[in-house]
Amino acid sequence: MAFNLKTKLWQTGALDWWAMIDNEDVFLGNREFPQPPEEGDEWLVRATGNRFKVIEGEIKLIAQEEAPEPWLNY
């Protein structure tokens, strides 16, 4: 998949998105992941509480928050 990003990313058969960030496999979410990811996009991964943003063509971890309770988001 070509999104014109510098970050290597892939999708699993379970439709989860992953990326190689700082030489580690990092879970980017599933439905939270923006399609297609563009400069300035920001999202919170509900399962982990990690907040990511696309900055200068790279996906960066910008914050780590407490994961929200799943039943409070719907």
Side-chain angles (χ1 to χ4, degrees), residues 32-51:
E32 306 95 338
F33 187 76
Q35 288 289 334
E38 296 178 354
E39 187 68 30
D41 283 347
E42 185 176 323
W43 67 97
L44 174 67
V45 180
R46 292 182 184 141
T48 62
N50 290 339
R51 184 171 295 277

Side-chain angles (χ1 to χ4, degrees), residues 36-67:
E38 296 178 354
E39 187 68 30
D41 283 347
E42 185 176 323
W43 67 97
L44 174 67
V45 180
R46 292 182 184 141
T48 62
N50 290 339
R51 184 171 295 277
F52 295 94
K53 186 170 185 173
V54 179
I55 302 171
E56 296 180 5
E58 291 186 50
I59 297 174
K60 302 206 181 227
L61 176 64
I62 59 169
Q64 200 156 20
E65 305 172 9
E66 187 172 328

Side-chain angles (χ1 to χ4, degrees), residues 1 3 13 20 31 36 43 51 66 68:
M1 294 181 190
F3 291 125
M20 183 66 69
R31 293 183 182 195
W43 67 97
R51 184 171 295 277
E66 187 172 328

